[in-house]
Amino acid sequence: QVQLQESGPGLVKPSGTLSLTCAVSGGSISSSNWWSWVRQPPGKGLEWIGEIFHSGSTNYNPSLRSRVTISVDKSKNQFSLKLSSVTAADTAVYYCARHDDLWNFFDYWGQGTLVTVSS
Amino acid sequence: QSALTQPASVSGSPGQSITISCTGTSSDVGSYNLVSWYQQHPGKAPKLMIYEGSKRPSGVSNRFSGSKSGNTASLTISGLQAEDEADYYCFSYAGSKVFGGGTKLTVL
């Protein structure tokens, strides 16, 4: 059973950089899946942020592309998210998830972690 | 504004059937059968309910079904139960990967 666990600071200052890591267990990050980040502002809907393949190939949401970097560490079986120049609008629960790119679905999700942008 | 349009809310009584729509365009939903659906209870991570338009993952009740007509994908829940009350999201390619705006299902 694949499990994903997000970790990182729960509070980030405005204009700073949000950094999160997703540890994958029960499966290899070098599988044929892509690994994604999804966020959900309080009381609002889901937003796809971007994804990475174990080779390092990435795809990003066009609306966030200028501020997002997703990277992978195969030796630690984990991948990471960096979002720069954050504002209060970036306050959200951030989820990591495994994506089947062939049939376009997320089959495993982390529990989510709340990141608040505030001074 | 999401590129995939869902009704903000739907409701139904126990035992009834409801349908949630997810409308895209001929370039995305209309061209591919790659819509997936997710159920999300408050404070929980989303759960995959339907993929490839109409397929159910192992463990998902057969009360949940998916279909597509033209540019609109649909999720139907039959025999509505109290535990079905949740938010539901569709997901597809629409230029980029995108979720629908979400639909709150209320079981009366």
Side-chain angles (χ1 to χ4, degrees):
Chain A
Q1 178 81 346
V2 174
Q3 293 185 312
L4 295 88
Q5 178 67 58
E6 306 91 349
S7 62
L11 181 64
V12 181
K13 293 187 185 317
S15 78
T17 297
L18 178 158
S19 297
L20 295 173
T21 296
C22 180
V24 179
S25 59
S28 174
I29 205 164
S30 296
S31 68
S32 59
N33 299 102
W34 287 69
W35 304 90
S36 291
W37 288 98
V38 174
R39 71 179 183 178
Q40 185 172 37
K44 296 188 178 181
L46 301 170
E47 180 180 32
W48 178 75
I49 298 171
E51 63 182 0
I52 191 165
F53 196 61
H54 63 79
S55 63
S57 295
T58 54
N59 294 304
Y60 296 132
N61 184 324
S63 68
L64 297 170
R65 181 177 289 128
S66 63
R67 298 193 293 130
V68 173
T69 302
I70 298 176
S71 59
V72 65
D73 186 336
K74 290 186 286 186
S75 67
K76 295 182 178 179
N77 218 41
Q78 65 186 33
F79 61 108
S80 299
L81 168 71
K82 290 189 184 299
L83 181 65
S84 63
S85 304
V86 296
T87 69
D90 295 309
T91 293
V93 174
Y94 286 76
Y95 296 98
C96 56
R98 191 177 83 167
H99 183 245
D100 181 303
D101 203 54
L102 182 62
W103 300 113
N104 193 35
F105 61 85
F106 300 100
D107 52 359
Y108 292 99
W109 295 72
Q111 65 185 25
T113 186
L114 174 63
V115 179
T116 301
V117 178
S118 174
S119 56
Chain B
Q1 185 102 14
S2 173
L4 299 178
T5 301
Q6 296 182 234
S9 63
V10 298
S11 62
S13 299
Q16 289 186 331
S17 294
I18 63 95
T19 296
I20 299 171
S21 60
C22 172
T23 301
T25 69
S26 58
S27 298
D28 41 71
V29 175
S31 292
Y32 309 100
N33 207 23
L34 295 175
V35 176
S36 51
W37 289 92
Y38 302 84
Q39 175 191 67
Q40 186 182 35
H41 287 110
K44 300 295 186 181
K47 175 186 177 183
L48 177 66
M49 305 303 285
I50 295 288
Y51 67 99
E52 208 181 327
S54 61
K55 295 183 178 179
R56 275 189 313 275
S58 174
V60 172
S61 170
N62 59 9
R63 296 186 299 105
F64 291 83
S65 61
S67 62
K68 190 184 83 168
S69 177
N71 299 334
T72 297
S74 298
L75 173 71
T76 297
I77 309 174
S78 59
L80 211 54
Q81 298 179 3
E83 58 262 36
D84 299 331
E85 184 162 296
D87 294 324
Y88 292 85
Y89 295 90
C90 61
F91 179 77
S92 184
Y93 294 112
S96 176
K97 295 181 175 71
V98 66
F99 287 95
T103 299
K104 181 175 182 59
L105 169 61
T106 300
V107 180
L108 303 171

